[in-house]
Amino acid sequence: MIPYTVNIKLAARTLTGTVHLQNKTAVDWGWQGLIAQGCHSSILIIDPKTAQTIQVLERHKANVVKVKWSRENYHHNLSSPYSLRLASADAAGKIIVWDVVSGTAHCEIQEHAKPIQDMDWLWAQDASRDLLLAVHPPNYIVLWNGDTGTKLWKKSYAENILSFSFDPFDPSNLALLTSEGIVFITDFSHSKPPGSAGKKVYIASPHASPAHTKPAPAAPAPTGAKKALNKVKVLITNEKPSAEAVTLNDCLQLSYLPSKRNHMLLLYPREILILDLELSQTVGVVAIERSGVPFIQAVPCAQRDALYCLHENGCITLRVCRSTSPSPDEAGQSSTDAGESAQELVYDLRSQCDAIRVTKTVRPYRMVICPVNENRAALVVSDGRVMLWELKAHPVKSSINPSSGLSPLYTPVAFCGTPLTPNQKHIPDLSLNTMIGHSLISGVEPARPSGQQEVLLKFLLTGLLSGLPLPPFALRMCPPLTTKNINHYQPLLAVGTSNGSVLVYNLTSGLLHKELSVHSCEVRGIEWISLTSFLSFATSAPNNLGLVRNELQHVDLPTGRCFAFRGERGNDEPAIEMIKVSHLKQYLVVVFRDKPLELWDVRTGTLLREMAKNFPTVTALEWSPSHNLKSLKKKQLAAREAMARQTVSDAEQSSVESSVISMLQDAESKSELSQSISAREHFVFTDTDGQVYHITVEGNTVKDGARIPPDGSMGSIACIAWKGDTLVLGDVDGNLNFWDLKARLSRAVPTHRGWVKKIRFAPGKGNQKLLVMYTDGAEVWDTKEVQMVSSLRFGRNVSYRILDIDWCTSDKVVLASDDGCIRVLEMAMKSASYRMDEQDLTDPVWCPYLLLPRAALTLKAFLLLQPWSGTFTMDITHVDYNEKDEIKGLIQEQLNSLSNDMKSILQDPELNLLQRCILVSRLFGDESDLQFWTVAAHYLQAFAQARQLSVADAEGQPPTEDSPSSCPVSHLDICHDTLCESTFFQRFQLERVHLQEVKRSSYEHTKKCADQLLLLGQTDRAVQLLLETSADNPSYYCDSLKACLVTTITSSGPSQSTIKLVATNMIANGKLAEGVQLLCLIDKAADACRYLQTYGEWNRAAWLAKVRLNPAESSDVLKRWAEHLCSPQVNQKSKAILVLLSLGCFHKVGEMLHSMRYFDRAALFVEACLKYGVMEANDTTNKLIGAAFSDYARLLRSVGMREGAALWASKAGGAGEALLEELFKKEGAEGEDEAELEQDEEQDALLVSTD
């Protein structure tokens, strides 16, 4: 009986190495929680939590230049499941959309044969999820359907497009970074190409704008960063700058900020500019001091106003926007420089990680940030390393260093959107917004409840993936699996590298088993002498006499011990050409370039024979598989038995068990074998004329055997392989000669592929497959039939050259190639993508996307609907769930792979429903769920609190301490834009205008600021700006009159009606903005919003409603907006739902979710509403409650979760009764079936026992 089985089934896989320069930008971290990275023409899929490569996709012929995961911002169900979809683009202009789990291509897209500059999936969620926008050089943008590969439209622009960025707040805005500046497109839509050529804006390079320094204030002289700021006063102009002002657009990157609307980041090597797009004006600069390290890349965060920056030394820094409101303890001292405080947006350096050693070949390429939690970063280095950094928050006791001038960062009080209860477990480092609170805004009271903890942020290296070093490689697979070694066999591959080290990989997992530094120069060849030890040789560069230093080392793997096998020999001699170990691992032949060969005994390490000077020059050599070990053993055993019989007399023999004797004999024969048996072995070799010699070795005697004259059809023989009765010779002209030794036949086959570099027989009894390596590829031959099985050729079906070959099992080959990769392939030598679910990983990976669609939804329901029958559990078998055991096992594996922290939180009874929903959507990387539950949690609590207060006021009693309302709910982050509360939104807009005002540098800017101030109702400040207009400006008269008008407006009837009339006329004649301003002056902002909506300015209307209207009027405007969003031509229902949530229309939201067939979300939402008391069960709501709950129960039944289905059906009241009956009927029937089955099984068992 085998004690444990070894998994010998090796998956096809690719071990990758250094990254090509064209792969620099090909890396992406998806919402799915995985990183995709291009490496030459392959794509690696990496799991960042366990730092494992879990898939390699191969189909591209050219280097991969871009990879992009599809977005997860849609509702997931059986028809649109959780799936791993990735788009990749290469340098030959081909785009492939992958199904990553199966490793197959959905579709392939080709337009031009030039490298794709940039691509991204469209994010407007309710439209098709398959649309992919790509930049085809030099100046085309093309919209593709990524599911079918059809082209929807194509548009060309005047300049070369380098990259683009979508506005995360408005799907119709797109910015293109071109070779000369930026092009803003405001009419982007998936149905037709943009109509206009976009608004062109030129960027002067920051250092070359001389004219725009402002007169120095009386303040102290500005420092380096401030100087830079003064230079960057105006960078953006609509005219083309003069030739000397801008030599080249050295802008490296442009991205919209996802944390606040209408802001954009421009990255230069030495500074980052933050632009406010309403003014096209710089409002913040992050400048590097003269001695600092330049930037390569910046990634703006969405959850907080923060930037991750990558520098040229591989250091990642996190910069967080400074709060504009002073913290309470600073409020006293900072009154002096209050004017200075909000001069600009300042991003303070809060954390940085260690740099790497940068050399000619080792440079940082790209960083990616986890989009779900924004607290983990991965850095790709050119040598193939991927470094995984995690941001950790460390609590601090007191303010660390008041002189540093940085205000302290505090943790938020809430966890997953809800204030923490006193004894609730939580993970402080779950995501960026659970680690640090909001940047505070002046005028908003900083809430500092006792629970807030001051924190410091630190980077921690949590994982490292390293690739293979630079080629060339020498490969050798360990001896094959046999019935004798099956108990302890490991499929190890030894890889000799150019720097002298030997890497040993375990091919079951694809992970590095050991790295041994063996030689001081390039490893030329490796031969295994047992399952755990090998010989490797290396040769140094030749000196002027053509002599080298040869190193032949014996390496023992378990201990790592190396010693020089040839002792002191090796200095100043001809180079070793090859080493060959005999089949029984007894003898070793060392062949030199211009020196006779040496024959060694491997077991004792002694030199048996150094051939004479006149010995022929060897061109190829191979040991014969035949030997006389069996006959030797038989002879020995016979001798032993004879001795045993003599020593044991007949009388004694009966008493001594024969088994004991046989044991003794076994032991003796083994020890004997290890000492003195030297079986006879043979080898053949060819000389330069092609003559074949046959030599026999036994012990230390060497005999010369028969010689076979050369075959006239063959050139100089380059290699020999021998297995069973077949001997194969390959020559330098590409001919293969097959000898059948039994039938004494030979057959020459010309392959016409040039020099045969290597030939190797496959392992396994009777397996006569042969692997042949040529300069331009490889072939597999069947020597029984003498025909080719498969072929691989550089330039034809692969884009890499083969450097070395070997078999790793009887049906898989391993190839080393010049793109720095080592590939394990099937015998057909087709591409190496594999099914991820067949993988054998060392560490389990949490990724629900790997499960079948049904199973992923089951897993989600299992986590959401805790506790099950009163207990919190992480064991799926505790739940009545009927499904195949195999699938149950996979789900359980996923549950087991969660971290202990996460498990303890999911099983914490204190975790409420809203927190659970947010946490599970984070775990699943479900963008749409996360957004919905974040907004829902905020407004459910806010409205519940308001309701409690109003009830308390009515009854005249103060709210109790432990009620959820006693802790104030913090406001929604500003990244939710118009979904935030009006008061907070107003404050933010006022502060923004204040900043714009400080930064304005031209009449245009001043005018825009005055307009904004009028809309915001800040009339006094607006008048001051209007009066600044200089007398020689054509608008001088107009602005002066406007100033008079604003100051003299009275609320008398006639003046109001006149102004209203003028405003409506203006709007009718196309002066919409001016008309709206006038209406705002006379407090008719509600009418202004209606006009804006009529003219299609929906976002502007929502903005105005938020900053000017009272709640009731504002609510009307936003409800109209929600209706507009639901209309079929806009089709943004999910956005409409968020708007309705912010207005507290919970019943409507429940109905919409149900009508959109989002049954799980609808049921859980209604449940949460009932829990928080913002919806009561009465005749109007019962219909919704019944429908939502019973449909959710049906959904649960369809994925096999009967227990969950019964629970929700029972909550549904009348609507669920029929379903409950069905469930119990079914259960009863199943129970009967099971009983019958058991009876049958018992009868079978009885029959078997009677037999």
Side-chain angles (χ1 to χ4, degrees):
M1 183 70 196
I2 300 172
Y4 68 95
T5 54
V6 181
N7 180 358
I8 319 301
K9 202 187 93 205
L10 298 187
R13 67 168 70 250
T14 305
L15 307 175
T16 54
T18 55
V19 183
H20 193 277
L21 186 62
Q22 282 185 313
N23 300 138
K24 188 170 181 172
T25 54
V27 60
D28 191 34
W29 192 325
W31 274 84
Q32 299 84 345
L34 302 174
I35 298 173
Q37 183 212 340
C39 178
H40 294 267
S41 61
S42 329
I43 300 151
L44 312 185
I45 307 296
I46 296 165
D47 173 53
K49 288 182 214 66
T50 57
Q52 297 179 98
T53 303
I54 55 177
Q55 168 71 290
V56 179
L57 302 170
E58 301 227 29
R59 201 184 177 96
H60 284 286
K61 299 278 189 288
N63 288 327
V64 177
V65 293
K66 275 273 178 257
V67 288
K68 273 281 187 285
W69 289 103
S70 66
R71 295 280 292 258
E72 290 300 316
N73 52 356
Y74 56 91
H75 178 257
H76 296 77
N77 53 26
L78 283 173
S79 55
S80 44
Y82 287 100
S83 65
L84 289 178
R85 197 165 53 158
L86 177 76
S88 61
D90 66 21
K94 176 176 267 186
I95 298 174
I96 299 181
V97 177
W98 299 89
D99 171 10
V100 175
V101 175
S102 63
T104 53
H106 254 312
C107 75
E108 298 189 18
I109 295 168
Q110 181 95 43
E111 176 77 3
H112 300 291
K114 288 188 179 152
I116 304 289
Q117 286 285 0
D118 202 356
M119 65 171 180
D120 205 355
W121 296 88
L122 262 59
W123 64 266
Q125 51 211 37
D126 299 348
S128 162
R129 295 191 302 277
D130 306 316
L131 304 183
L132 187 68
L133 186 72
V135 176
H136 293 266
N139 57 352
Y140 293 101
I141 57 172
V142 184
L143 186 66
W144 299 95
N145 181 327
D147 196 38
T148 57
T150 47
K151 179 166 37 166
L152 301 180
W153 52 254
K154 175 175 177 179
K155 167 111 174 130
S156 67
Y157 286 88
E159 290 127 39
N160 293 354
I161 304 171
L162 306 176
S163 69
F164 66 79
S165 173
F166 274 117
D167 182 346
F169 294 95
D170 189 345
S172 59
N173 290 347
L174 175 71
L176 308 175
L177 179 65
T178 68
S179 46
E180 294 187 342
I182 307 177
V183 175
F184 288 104
I185 298 167
T186 51
D187 55 349
F188 182 85
S189 120
H190 56 270
S191 49
K192 57 180 193 300
S196 63
K199 175 184 158 201
K200 251 187 226 162
V201 169
Y202 296 97
I203 326 173
S205 102
H207 298 298
S209 44
H212 304 302
T213 46
K214 64 175 179 186
T223 58
K226 286 263 163 52
K227 271 187 196 147
L229 225 193
N230 298 342
K231 271 195 200 156
V232 203
K233 232 30 207 159
V234 176
L235 278 185
I236 297 209
T237 51
N238 293 344
E239 320 72 61
K240 198 164 181 175
S242 59
E244 59 272 14
V246 56
T247 45
L248 171 79
N249 175 12
D250 57 352
C251 179
L252 302 176
Q253 177 195 336
L254 120 175
S255 328
Y256 280 93
L257 292 192
S259 55
K260 45 190 179 189
R261 195 180 188 117
N262 276 334
H263 283 70
M264 178 177 268
L265 166 154
L266 293 182
L267 177 77
Y268 290 87
R270 301 204 72 85
E271 53 245 303
I272 297 174
L273 310 182
I274 307 293
L275 310 183
D276 188 323
L277 296 180
E278 279 182 8
L279 262 82
S280 309
Q281 177 61 320
T282 314
V283 289
V285 173
V286 181
I288 289 186
E289 292 295 333
R290 191 161 287 151
S291 57
V293 186
F295 294 115
I296 304 180
Q297 189 197 357
V299 179
C301 299
Q303 300 175 12
R304 291 286 176 259
D305 190 359
L307 310 172
Y308 280 97
C309 309
L310 173 62
H311 299 259
E312 284 180 3
N313 60 355
C315 176
I316 297 174
T317 56
L318 173 69
R319 295 165 189 273
V320 182
C321 189
R322 187 181 298 177
S323 297
T324 46
S325 80
S327 58
D329 39 316
E330 293 170 13
Q333 50 176 352
S334 65
S335 54
T336 49
D337 54 342
E340 185 69 13
S341 65
Q343 292 280 316
E344 60 190 37
L345 294 179
V346 182
Y347 287 82
D348 295 319
L349 178 64
R350 292 292 186 174
S351 179
Q352 65 185 59
C353 74
D354 301 333
I356 59 174
R357 264 190 66 202
V358 179
T359 64
K360 262 187 194 155
T361 52
V362 180
R363 290 196 304 285
Y365 269 178
R366 261 291 174 277
M367 122 188 109
V368 278
I369 306 297
C370 164
V372 185
N373 298 323
E374 294 188 335
N375 60 354
R376 311 209 329 267
L379 171 66
V380 177
V381 189
S382 58
D383 60 4
R385 274 181 301 169
V386 177
M387 304 173 80
L388 300 160
W389 293 96
E390 203 164 317
L391 196 63
K392 294 283 184 194
H394 292 277
V396 210
K397 288 287 180 287
S398 62
S399 188
I400 325 105
N401 180 6
S403 64
S404 69
L406 292 187
S407 53
L409 292 175
Y410 294 100
T411 56
V413 202
F415 174 67
C416 280
T418 311
L420 281 165
T421 54
N423 44 6
Q424 187 177 345
K425 298 175 182 162
H426 74 119
I427 304 178
D429 299 330
L430 177 69
S431 63
L432 188 63
N433 55 10
T434 58
M435 291 162 71
I436 52 174
H438 304 268
S439 300
L440 299 173
I441 289 178
S442 52
V444 178
E445 268 311 297
R448 279 280 303 281
S450 53
Q452 273 196 326
Q453 172 78 56
E454 193 177 317
V455 285
L456 266 182
L457 300 179
K458 291 192 178 142
F459 277 108
L460 193 67
L461 186 68
T462 55
L464 176 68
L465 280 109
S466 50
L468 291 160
L470 285 164
F473 303 122
L475 298 182
R476 202 69 174 106
M477 190 67 193
C478 70
L481 177 80
T482 61
T483 47
K484 292 196 181 96
N485 65 24
I486 192 160
N487 292 353
H488 48 261
Y489 184 77
Q490 281 185 307
L492 300 178
L493 173 74
V495 181
T497 64
S498 49
N499 60 8
S501 57
V502 176
L503 311 175
V504 181
Y505 280 89
N506 183 333
L507 290 186
T508 313
S509 61
L511 295 176
L512 186 63
H513 174 65
K514 285 212 169 152
E515 178 171 357
L516 302 158
S517 183
V518 182
H519 298 282
S520 59
C521 43
E522 185 187 321
V523 181
R524 300 284 172 161
I526 299 173
E527 288 285 327
W528 290 80
I529 48 178
S530 73
L531 281 177
T532 55
S533 56
F534 59 82
L535 295 169
S536 63
F537 75 93
T539 57
S540 66
N543 60 17
N544 46 13
L545 297 172
L547 301 178
V548 300
R549 184 180 73 259
N550 285 318
E551 299 177 6
L552 177 59
Q553 294 280 41
H554 175 291
V555 180
D556 180 52
L557 258 190
T559 59
R561 179 170 174 254
C562 301
F563 64 88
F565 188 77
R566 296 174 67 226
E568 297 297 310
R569 297 162 176 263
N571 286 331
D572 290 343
E573 59 176 9
I576 297 181
E577 288 269 284
M578 60 177 146
I579 58 173
K580 291 276 182 182
V581 175
S582 69
H583 276 259
L584 295 175
K585 316 291 184 202
Q586 300 184 103
Y587 309 116
L588 165 77
V589 167
V590 183
V591 180
F592 297 87
R593 183 162 288 154
D594 301 314
K595 174 180 162 182
L597 57 84
E598 294 177 354
L599 185 65
W600 291 77
D601 185 322
V602 172
R603 295 162 304 179
T604 57
T606 50
L607 179 65
L608 297 177
R609 177 72 64 91
E610 194 171 354
M611 298 304 178
K613 284 274 189 322
N614 60 357
F615 195 78
T617 306
V618 178
T619 60
L621 181 144
E622 178 66 309
W623 285 92
S624 152
S626 61
H627 47 73
N628 64 348
L629 185 61
K630 278 187 179 156
S631 58
L632 264 178
K633 275 188 181 168
K634 272 184 192 153
K635 278 183 198 163
Q636 280 219 331
L637 278 176
R640 308 229 144 277
E641 276 172 18
M643 280 175 67
R645 281 202 191 90
Q646 284 170 4
T647 51
V648 181
S649 67
D650 296 349
E652 288 167 321
Q653 190 168 353
S654 57
S655 65
V656 178
E657 287 290 313
S658 58
S659 63
V660 176
I661 293 180
S662 62
M663 273 167 62
L664 276 166
Q665 287 175 351
D666 272 5
E668 269 193 306
S669 66
K670 273 185 187 151
S671 62
E672 189 71 22
L673 220 172
S674 60
Q675 286 161 18
S676 67
I677 287 193
S678 279
R680 185 166 66 239
E681 294 201 72
H682 327 261
F683 66 87
V684 293
F685 70 88
T686 54
D687 63 10
T688 40
D689 305 330
Q691 184 162 234
V692 180
Y693 297 75
H694 180 233
I695 291 189
T696 310
V697 186
E698 185 168 10
N700 48 10
T701 57
V702 180
K703 292 181 190 147
D704 196 350
R707 294 186 186 183
I708 303 160
D711 182 331
S713 65
M714 299 285 281
S716 174
I717 305 292
C719 43
I720 310 176
W722 188 347
K723 182 172 183 178
D725 294 319
T726 314
L727 182 80
V728 183
L729 305 156
D731 72 4
V732 292
D733 305 323
N735 301 310
L736 292 175
N737 205 342
F738 296 86
W739 291 8
D740 185 337
L741 301 176
K742 220 179 203 167
R744 305 211 157 195
L745 291 172
S746 88
R747 178 171 166 192
V749 179
T751 63
H752 306 297
R753 288 194 55 173
W755 193 329
V756 180
K757 292 280 196 182
K758 257 185 198 163
I759 44 182
R760 292 242 163 104
F761 271 106
K765 200 168 184 180
N767 183 356
Q768 293 290 340
K769 299 282 189 298
L770 180 79
L771 181 60
V772 187
M773 172 177 146
Y774 305 98
T775 40
D776 67 342
E779 286 177 348
V780 175
W781 283 73
D782 183 343
T783 55
K784 276 190 193 131
E785 311 291 328
V786 191
Q787 64 183 19
M788 190 176 76
V789 179
S790 61
S791 160
L792 191 79
R793 185 175 282 196
F794 168 72
R796 185 169 300 174
N797 45 8
V798 291
S799 54
Y800 46 81
R801 291 183 183 278
I802 305 294
L803 304 174
D804 201 359
I805 57 164
D806 203 357
W807 290 90
C808 49
T809 59
S810 55
D811 63 341
K812 288 209 172 62
V813 300
V814 54
L815 311 173
S817 53
D818 66 349
D819 60 357
C821 297
I822 292 176
R823 293 175 170 82
V824 176
L825 301 173
E826 302 287 342
M827 202 153 41
M829 298 199 284
K830 290 282 177 286
S831 93
S833 301
Y834 36 83
R835 283 199 64 83
M836 274 160 107
D837 33 19
E838 290 170 4
Q839 269 273 78
D840 207 40
L841 292 170
T842 336
D843 298 327
V845 168
W846 163 262
C847 184
Y849 293 79
L850 301 182
L851 295 169
L852 291 170
R854 270 173 64 103
L857 293 171
T858 306
L859 174 60
K860 189 172 173 184
F862 174 75
L863 293 174
L864 283 173
L865 304 182
Q866 302 268 5
W868 290 92
S869 41
T871 54
F872 289 89
T873 172
M874 282 286 129
D875 187 350
I876 192 94
T877 53
H878 291 176
V879 180
D880 174 11
Y881 164 48
N882 73 359
E883 181 62 271
K884 294 192 202 79
D885 284 345
E886 182 192 353
I887 293 179
K888 262 193 189 174
L890 289 171
I891 294 179
Q892 191 55 49
E893 267 175 32
Q894 285 291 322
L895 287 166
N896 296 346
S897 69
L898 283 168
S899 70
N900 292 339
D901 286 351
M902 190 56 83
K903 281 185 200 161
S904 72
I905 284 188
L906 287 165
Q907 295 182 65
D908 181 11
E910 296 276 324
L911 191 74
N912 67 33
L913 177 64
L914 293 173
Q915 287 174 316
R916 188 175 286 283
C917 289
I918 290 180
L919 191 58
V920 171
S921 55
R922 275 198 189 286
L923 274 177
F924 272 70
D926 189 326
E927 204 174 339
S928 147
D929 258 7
L930 185 57
Q931 200 175 16
F932 173 82
W933 286 113
T934 306
V935 178
H938 177 77
Y939 281 107
L940 278 173
Q941 290 170 79
F943 279 95
Q945 204 170 315
R947 191 186 175 105
Q948 265 186 331
L949 289 173
S950 62
V951 170
D953 288 350
E955 295 171 5
Q957 62 179 39
T960 52
E961 261 310 295
D962 54 341
S963 67
S965 74
S966 58
C967 178
V969 184
S970 64
H971 44 255
L972 262 186
D973 298 343
I974 200 66
C975 63
H976 292 285
D977 197 43
T978 39
L979 301 173
C980 299
E981 296 89 338
S982 296
T983 47
F984 178 60
F985 189 71
Q986 253 163 320
R987 289 278 175 201
F988 177 74
Q989 297 303 337
L990 281 171
E991 177 163 282
R992 191 172 157 198
V993 172
H994 171 63
L995 199 59
Q996 292 174 349
E997 217 184 292
V998 176
K999 291 276 166 243
R1000 65 206 158 86
S1001 57
S1002 67
Y1003 171 70
E1004 277 303 304
H1005 289 165
T1006 308
K1007 188 170 178 310
K1008 279 184 184 159
C1009 284
D1011 293 352
Q1012 284 288 72
L1013 286 164
L1014 286 176
L1015 292 179
L1016 286 164
Q1018 304 287 312
T1019 47
D1020 300 351
R1021 189 75 195 108
V1023 170
Q1024 284 178 7
L1025 292 191
L1026 286 169
L1027 294 176
E1028 278 182 18
T1029 312
S1030 63
D1032 48 3
N1033 190 315
S1035 322
Y1036 171 63
Y1037 181 59
C1038 190
D1039 284 352
S1040 308
L1041 286 182
K1042 200 172 183 183
C1044 298
L1045 172 70
V1046 173
T1047 41
T1048 54
I1049 277 183
T1050 52
S1051 49
S1052 68
S1055 68
Q1056 284 230 352
S1057 50
T1058 311
I1059 292 176
K1060 192 170 178 189
L1061 181 69
V1062 172
T1064 42
N1065 283 339
M1066 277 185 159
I1067 291 172
N1069 290 310
K1071 289 198 176 297
L1072 181 63
E1074 289 84 345
V1076 166
Q1077 262 181 47
L1078 286 178
L1079 287 171
C1080 286
L1081 279 180
I1082 54 171
D1083 286 338
K1084 291 272 185 283
D1087 295 350
C1089 289
R1090 211 164 290 124
Y1091 281 118
L1092 283 168
Q1093 289 185 330
T1094 313
Y1095 284 89
E1097 294 276 341
W1098 294 94
N1099 286 321
R1100 198 83 187 121
W1103 180 89
L1104 189 56
K1106 278 281 184 197
V1107 294
R1108 278 303 286 272
L1109 298 182
N1110 60 34
E1113 289 180 325
S1114 159
S1115 173
D1116 286 347
V1117 174
L1118 294 171
K1119 276 180 187 158
R1120 278 203 300 279
W1121 184 33
E1123 276 167 31
H1124 167 72
L1125 288 170
C1126 291
S1127 63
Q1129 68 273 19
V1130 182
N1131 192 17
Q1132 285 196 345
K1133 284 192 179 149
S1134 19
K1135 172 91 176 170
I1137 286 179
L1138 298 180
V1139 174
L1140 292 169
L1141 277 175
S1142 73
L1143 299 173
C1145 310
F1146 299 131
H1147 190 269
K1148 177 88 175 99
V1149 169
E1151 283 176 345
M1152 274 183 70
L1153 287 171
H1154 186 256
S1155 69
M1156 289 159 76
R1157 304 184 71 76
Y1158 292 4
F1159 296 138
D1160 48 350
R1161 205 181 281 182
L1164 292 165
F1165 176 70
V1166 170
E1167 172 88 339
C1169 288
L1170 293 168
K1171 269 194 180 152
Y1172 275 88
V1174 293
M1175 189 188 279
E1176 284 168 7
N1178 54 31
D1179 297 347
T1180 48
T1181 55
N1182 276 342
K1183 185 175 169 222
L1184 170 64
I1185 296 172
F1189 288 3
S1190 58
D1191 279 330
Y1192 188 34
R1194 285 193 185 88
L1195 176 72
L1196 289 171
R1197 188 185 62 181
S1198 71
V1199 293
M1201 303 195 79
R1202 283 195 309 227
E1203 185 179 330
L1207 175 73
W1208 284 89
S1210 63
K1211 285 186 186 178
E1217 280 167 13
L1219 184 62
L1220 272 173
E1221 274 173 30
E1222 274 175 53
L1223 279 166
F1224 286 117
K1225 257 189 214 155
K1226 210 168 168 189
E1227 231 164 81
E1230 273 176 18
E1232 284 165 25
D1233 293 349
E1234 277 169 17
E1236 278 175 27
L1237 269 173
E1238 277 171 18
Q1239 282 177 341
D1240 292 352
E1241 277 169 12
E1242 277 168 21
Q1243 284 175 342
D1244 291 349
L1246 283 170
L1247 285 169
V1248 170
S1249 56
T1250 50
D1251 288 353

